[in-house]
């Protein structure tokens, strides 16, 4: 990544273009995806009809979207928080998996305790494991000069391998024949649902984490320090800030969010750790963070929209006979368009000029 | 619900109302009668030339019924993902019937969703129903393909020059062992000296290991290869590449071996799905007991069939196999007829005893026939 991209990301420009360009990029991706589906024989508009129906068309669809949105919010924060300290990480999936694994281990170890104690242990273990995972990538970059984009990406595969090793080995439930999985968390020790709906408490965790992150970054001295480090870590060192610890802490918080999402997946959805928890929420979380321009509050909205997209994957297959991997194609298209759109910042005069009076970053 | 007379139409009416309410905008398409929505879940891809494609073709057979709207989802893993797919089909698409085709879907996923949605009928392929424990709206179905394997084995026995057949199998479970043994019995019915080597790969979808096993069998002199895995596609491919023959399983694999494909044992789930859907359309249900709890069938019931013969099968070979098929259908020929010994020298079926393919005793099969090189205990 170029330094100008890093800087632009770090500063989280608060202008019209930081909303307009992602919206435009998302719209372009939708049109491209519609065209892609048309190539597969689906009518262009029917694609969007299906997505709307399965994402927002009914209360059932809304619940589906929100269930998918919960882990996306937390995984989005995993990229958005460290970026404020100048660290670009894509280790969301690894932190998610390790968090889920840690939570499952903690949950299985505390089956004898009361549900509340057990769930708190699971959440703490998930946050600690996920946080440590991303902090590891941060430490490698800060202390050893290893690029965190690359190390965190590779850590995703290591996390998956560690999880599979344990789930197919010491943690394996001998009854899980065709699909190796850990022993299951007792029903009473699983995470509850909101008001008789299918939406689990993970959604509340996601919204709370996003709001807390916003307060922390935008409204506290600590957040100010993190942003200074993100702007220029050498300058931050010169004014007496301990940039190493600030970067590690921001990375830990981000990773903790993804780890918590992993805990929710184990404690509310799967009920056990297995290959199934690596469903790609972490990778989509990166997309969420970029579409939201790293703003914790916008992450909530973007996560709901992308949650609806994920929820509609099956509907595209059922309604229009599209391949089951279509939604993965959509994610890929959006990734490319979002990255391409980064070059537009400051280049669209009428968007740029409208806010001439406002600080426009470092152009 | 127990009253079978007037209750049927009332139930049909109620289901139609429910479908109208659930299907929503679909009714704007101008259809007066809301379609019967049927949902299918497959554990793998629809184009695997194997187990999943056989079910997918079965689903496509429903296209001929105008009152059915069949929907499906492929690559649904045996986790809560299966539950979510079924719920989506029920709540978003208004599915009234669910066919869960992968073995691992049943417990706990199908059981859980079936309890949640008692008005929807669930049918699971290959599972067993526990009376008094499992929900009433659940049925199971499967077929006995032994006779078709026997005919495919017979074709292999007629084709082989070396007299050695190669079989690549996933796991030494009864259903697989039945296929291996009936294949061998078919081959031996025309070539008593025929031998067979079996390699177990350990799992249903391991294309690399299957290819290695197939190659190794060819190296050892086998000149007809077959298999029982999720899809024996690679096994048939290896045979073609090695210039030897192959017979298929699950689905017609002739497309990957235009020269060496002899025939194969394949499922015709379309027959089964049509039968179910016609019954349901007529207002019958498994909950009410008007659809059998367990639906199973043999070659005679057209649950399974022989793949079209390939070019290597001469008219004389074809006639012999088809004559044997007629005898099987007429009950003049039996597959499991004693005396049969297993490959460890023990008596498997005593002299004078004949076991029908539907006999549940065969579901406990744990032996390989005399003359087969392979170990049931070793995977």
């Amino acid at each position: 990544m170029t330094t100008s991209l890093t800087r632009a990301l770090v500063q989280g420009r608060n202008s019209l273009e930081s909303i307009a360009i992602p919206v435009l990029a998302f719209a372009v991706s939708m049109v491209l995806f519609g065209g892609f589906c048309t190539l597969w024989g689906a009518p262009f508009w029917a694609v969007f009809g299906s997505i709307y129906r399965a994402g927002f068309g009914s209360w059932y669809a809304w619940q589906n979207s929100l269930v998918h949105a919960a882990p996306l919010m937390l995984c989005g924060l995993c990229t958005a928080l460290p970026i404020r300290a100048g660290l670009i990480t894509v280790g969301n999936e690894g932190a998610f998996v390790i968090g889920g694994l840690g939570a499952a281990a903690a949950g299985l170890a505390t089956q004898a305790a009361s549900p509340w104690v057990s769930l708190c242990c699971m959440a703490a273990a998930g946050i600690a494991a996920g946080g440590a995972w991303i902090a590891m990538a941060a430490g490698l970059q800060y202390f050893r000069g290893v690029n965190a984009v690359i190390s965190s990406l590779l850590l995703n595969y290591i996390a998956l391998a560690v999880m599979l090793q344990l789930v197919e080995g010491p943690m394996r439930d001998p009854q899980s024949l065709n699909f190796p999985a850990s022993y299951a968390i007792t029903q009473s020790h699983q995470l509850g649902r909101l008001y008789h709906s299918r939406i689990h408490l993970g959604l509340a965790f996601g919204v709370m984490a996003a709001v807390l992150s916003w307060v922390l970054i935008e409204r506290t001295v600590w957040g100010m320090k993190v942003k200074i480090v993100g702007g220029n870590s050498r300058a931050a060192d010169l004014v007496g800030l301990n940039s190493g610890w600030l970067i590690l802490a921001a990375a830990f918080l981000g990773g903790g969010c993804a780890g918590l999402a992993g805990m929710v997946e184990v404690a509310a959805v799967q009920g056990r750790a297995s290959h199934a928890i690596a469903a790609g929420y972490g990778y989509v979380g990166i997309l969420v963070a970029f579409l939201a321009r790293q703003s914790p509050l916008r992450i909530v909205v973007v996560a709901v929209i992308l949650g609806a997209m994920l929820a509609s994957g099956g509907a595209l297959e059922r309604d229009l006979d599209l391949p089951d991997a279509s939604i993965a194609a959509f994610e890929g298209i959006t990734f490319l368009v979002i990255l391409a759109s980064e070059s537009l910042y400051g280049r669209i005069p009428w968007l740029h000029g409208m806010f001439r009076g406002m600080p426009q970053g470092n152009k | 619900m127990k009253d079978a007379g007037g209750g049927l139409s009332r139930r049909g009416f109620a289901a139609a109302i429910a479908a109208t309410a659930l299907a929503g905008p679909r009714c704007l398409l101008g259809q007066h009668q809301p379609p019967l929505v049927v949902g299918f879940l497959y554990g793998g891809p629809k184009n695997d030339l194997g187990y999943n494609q056989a079910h997918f073709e079965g689903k496509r057979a429903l296209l001929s019924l105008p009152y059915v709207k069949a929907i499906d989802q492929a690559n649904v893993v045996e986790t809560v993902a299966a539950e979510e797919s079924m719920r989506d089909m029920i709540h978003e698409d208004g599915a009234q019937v669910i066919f869960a085709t992968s073995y691992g879907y049943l417990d706990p996923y199908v059981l859980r969703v079936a309890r949640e949605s008692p008005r929807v009928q669930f049918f699971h392929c290959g599972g067993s129903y526990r009376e008094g424990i499992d929900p009433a709206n659940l049925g199971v179905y499967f077929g006995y393909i032994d006779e078709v394997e026997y005919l495919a084995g017979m074709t292999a026995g007629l084709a082989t020059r070396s007299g050695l057949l190669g079989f690549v199998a996933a796991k030494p479970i009864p259903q697989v062992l039945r296929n291996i043994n009936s294949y061998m019995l078919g081959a031996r019915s025309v070539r008593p000296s025929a031998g067979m080597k079996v390699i177990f790969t350990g799992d249903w979808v391991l294309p690399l290991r299957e290819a290695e096993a197939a190659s190794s069998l060819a190296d050892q002199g086998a000149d007809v290869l077959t298999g029982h895995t999720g899809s024996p596609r690679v096994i048939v491919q290896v045979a073609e590449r090695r210039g030897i023959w192959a017979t298929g399983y699950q689905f017609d694999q002739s497309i990957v071996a235009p020269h060496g494909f002899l025939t194969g044992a394949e499922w015709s789930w379309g027959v089964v799905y049509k039968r179910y859907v016609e019954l349901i359309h007529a207002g019958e249900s498994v909950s009410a007991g008007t659809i059998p709890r367990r639906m199973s069938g043999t070659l005679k019931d057209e649950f399974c069939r022989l793949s079209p013969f390939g070019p290597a099968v001469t008219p004389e070979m074809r006639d012999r196999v088809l004559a044997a098929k007629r005898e099987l259908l007429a009950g003049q020929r039996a597959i499991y007829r004693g005396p049969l010994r297993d490959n460890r020298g023990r008596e498997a079926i005593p002299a004078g005893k004949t076991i029908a393919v539907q006999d549940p005793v065969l579901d406990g099969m744990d032996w390989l026939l005399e003359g087969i090189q392979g170990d049931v205990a070793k995977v």
Side-chain angles (χ1 to χ4, degrees):
Chain A
M1 296 250 178
T2 63
T3 46
S4 71
L5 172 56
T6 315
R7 263 190 310 233
L9 292 172
V10 167
Q11 288 174 350
R13 291 162 204 252
N14 206 8
S15 67
L16 184 62
E17 66 179 3
S18 74
I19 295 179
I21 291 179
V23 168
L24 183 75
F26 189 73
V28 169
S29 329
M30 289 287 266
V31 171
L32 287 176
F33 179 62
F36 170 82
C37 293
T38 313
L39 286 180
W40 279 91
F44 185 80
W45 293 109
V47 173
F48 303 108
S50 277
I51 292 174
Y52 177 79
R53 188 177 67 87
F56 304 111
S58 63
W59 170 229
Y60 177 87
W62 267 100
Q63 294 182 71
N64 253 359
S65 301
L66 292 175
V67 164
H68 283 91
L72 292 183
M73 288 175 198
L74 291 165
C75 288
L77 291 170
C78 181
T79 292
L81 286 175
I83 255 181
R84 289 309 178 88
L87 185 83
I88 301 182
T89 56
V90 290
N92 316 29
E93 185 80 359
F96 182 94
V97 165
I98 282 292
L101 180 68
L108 292 172
T110 54
Q111 289 290 282
S114 76
W116 271 104
V117 173
S118 178
L119 281 168
C120 287
C121 288
M122 287 176 76
I127 292 170
W133 202 253
I134 299 298
M136 188 151 62
L140 280 171
Q141 169 154 328
Y142 186 77
F143 297 108
R144 305 300 316 147
V146 181
N147 186 321
V149 178
I150 295 171
S151 67
S152 62
L153 179 68
L154 297 180
L155 280 170
N156 288 340
Y157 298 101
I158 297 177
L160 193 59
V162 169
M163 194 260 294
L164 290 180
Q165 180 68 30
L166 290 177
V167 162
E168 290 175 12
M171 286 172 78
R172 178 167 187 173
D173 177 356
Q175 293 200 313
S176 61
L177 292 173
N178 278 338
F179 202 92
S182 74
Y183 286 94
I185 312 272
T186 332
Q187 197 73 38
S188 62
H189 286 55
Q190 291 191 11
L191 203 57
R193 273 148 214 277
L194 301 168
Y195 302 108
H196 306 291
S197 71
R198 300 172 52 243
I199 305 164
H200 50 67
L201 277 170
L203 183 68
F205 290 176
V207 174
M208 279 192 306
V211 172
L212 285 177
S213 301
W214 180 80
V215 170
L216 195 63
I217 295 293
E218 304 295 344
R219 291 287 180 270
T220 66
V221 176
W222 187 84
M224 190 66 195
K225 288 183 189 169
V226 165
K227 284 195 280 189
I228 292 169
V229 171
N232 187 329
S233 72
R234 273 200 203 147
D237 282 335
L238 284 177
V239 297
L241 295 177
N242 189 338
S243 56
W245 283 111
L246 286 165
I247 291 173
L248 282 182
F252 182 88
L253 289 180
C257 287
L260 183 61
M263 174 267 179
V264 168
E265 185 71 10
V266 166
V269 181
Q270 307 280 352
R272 51 178 78 207
S274 75
H275 194 267
I277 66 171
Y281 283 122
Y283 292 112
V284 184
I286 306 169
L287 195 54
V288 169
F290 274 64
L291 276 170
R293 296 295 296 169
Q294 329 300 339
S295 150
L297 296 184
R298 265 181 260 160
I299 278 180
V300 174
V301 179
V302 174
V304 172
I305 295 171
L306 285 188
M309 292 297 298
L310 292 190
S312 66
L316 288 175
E317 191 183 358
R318 298 194 302 273
D319 293 356
L320 306 169
D321 272 332
L322 287 167
D324 57 283
S326 305
I327 282 297
F330 169 77
E331 288 164 16
I333 291 171
T334 314
F335 255 117
L336 287 177
V337 176
I338 281 288
L339 287 178
S341 75
E342 293 292 341
S343 66
L344 290 178
Y345 286 89
R347 300 233 176 126
I348 303 177
W350 61 270
L351 264 183
H352 204 58
M354 219 187 287
F355 287 81
R356 207 181 295 278
M358 292 179 69
Q360 288 294 327
N362 54 325
K363 280 284 173 252
Chain B
M1 293 289 264
K2 271 180 186 163
D3 171 46
L8 288 180
S9 62
R10 263 209 310 282
R11 199 158 51 236
F13 181 68
I17 295 289
T20 317
L22 287 167
R26 218 178 290 286
C27 296
L28 297 174
L29 296 173
Q31 290 163 319
H32 297 295
Q33 183 108 30
L36 176 68
V37 182
V38 181
F40 288 83
L41 282 85
Y42 322 114
K46 291 177 209 173
N47 58 351
D48 64 353
L49 280 188
Y51 184 86
N52 296 297
Q53 193 164 359
H55 284 287
F56 174 61
E57 288 301 321
K59 175 227 163 192
R60 278 161 52 95
L62 297 181
L63 287 172
S64 64
L65 303 175
Y67 51 83
V68 176
K69 179 182 160 57
I71 52 176
D72 58 2
Q73 262 185 261
N75 289 319
V76 180
V77 287
E78 295 172 351
T79 65
V80 283
E83 254 177 77
E84 292 305 306
S85 292
M86 288 185 268
R87 281 197 196 103
D88 288 355
M89 287 174 177
I90 294 165
H91 298 287
E92 288 185 347
D93 305 302
Q96 294 131 277
V97 187
I98 298 279
F99 288 105
T101 66
S102 191
Y103 185 78
Y105 290 153
L106 181 62
D107 193 5
Y109 312 112
V110 170
L111 297 180
R112 222 180 267 162
V113 182
R115 286 199 182 96
E116 264 173 37
S117 304
R119 299 173 66 96
V120 178
Q121 302 189 50
F122 295 79
F123 298 98
H124 180 261
C125 185
S128 53
Y129 184 86
R130 296 166 300 176
E131 209 62 55
I133 302 172
D134 291 336
N137 53 332
L138 169 70
V140 292
Y141 60 98
F142 206 67
Y144 301 103
I145 203 165
D146 313 55
E147 293 152 312
V148 193
E149 282 284 359
Y150 177 89
L151 295 172
M154 193 169 175
T155 320
L158 291 167
T160 180
R161 291 194 188 123
S162 68
L164 184 65
L165 314 177
F167 202 115
V168 180
K171 300 178 180 195
I173 60 170
Q175 212 232 317
V176 175
L177 299 177
R178 289 178 66 154
N179 284 347
I180 299 174
N181 287 330
S182 51
Y183 191 83
M184 184 61 169
L185 286 166
R188 209 166 272 166
S189 70
V190 290
R191 178 138 179 186
S193 64
M196 188 198 270
K197 281 185 197 252
V198 181
I199 296 180
F200 292 102
T201 59
D203 215 337
W204 298 106
V205 185
L206 292 172
L208 265 182
R209 213 174 283 179
E210 288 161 27
E212 283 167 10
S215 260
S216 150
L217 290 168
D219 290 340
Q220 294 171 61
D223 64 353
V224 185
L225 299 186
T226 190
H228 183 163
T229 59
S231 167
R233 170 193 203 141
V234 277
I235 301 159
V236 176
Q237 263 169 332
V238 167
E240 181 80 353
R241 211 171 301 138
R242 300 288 294 255
I244 55 178
W245 295 289
T247 69
Y249 183 58
Q250 312 271 25
F251 192 76
D252 182 358
Q253 282 103 17
S254 58
I255 191 164
V256 296
H259 301 289
F261 187 82
L262 298 172
T263 180
E266 58 179 86
W267 296 103
S268 32
W269 295 120
V271 173
V272 184
Y273 293 142
K274 274 170 112 167
R275 189 174 303 172
Y276 268 124
V277 166
E278 277 160 2
L279 282 168
I280 292 163
H281 184 63
E284 316 290 336
S285 86
V286 69
S287 329
T290 46
I291 291 179
R293 182 70 68 196
R294 182 182 158 82
M295 186 109 79
S296 61
T298 59
L299 175 66
K300 195 173 192 168
D301 307 303
E302 294 173 354
F303 272 49
C304 38
R305 59 175 181 244
L306 206 56
S307 306
F309 291 109
V313 181
T314 62
E316 298 78 57
M317 289 158 71
R318 187 177 312 212
D319 291 344
R320 273 189 84 175
V321 175
L322 291 180
K325 182 181 169 186
R326 279 192 298 276
E327 286 172 25
L328 282 170
L329 288 175
Q332 294 155 344
R333 186 188 276 254
I335 300 180
Y336 300 109
R337 200 177 61 220
L340 293 178
R341 301 187 76 80
D342 72 13
N343 65 1
R344 281 179 266 181
R346 291 178 307 198
E347 181 175 71
I349 298 176
K353 188 174 177 192
T354 300
I355 304 180
V357 291
Q358 298 96 324
D359 194 321
V361 80
L362 292 174
D363 289 328
M365 190 180 283
D366 59 354
W367 45 270
L368 284 172
L369 205 64
E370 189 177 27
I372 298 179
Q373 297 176 48
D375 194 347
V376 172
K378 202 165 67 189
V379 178

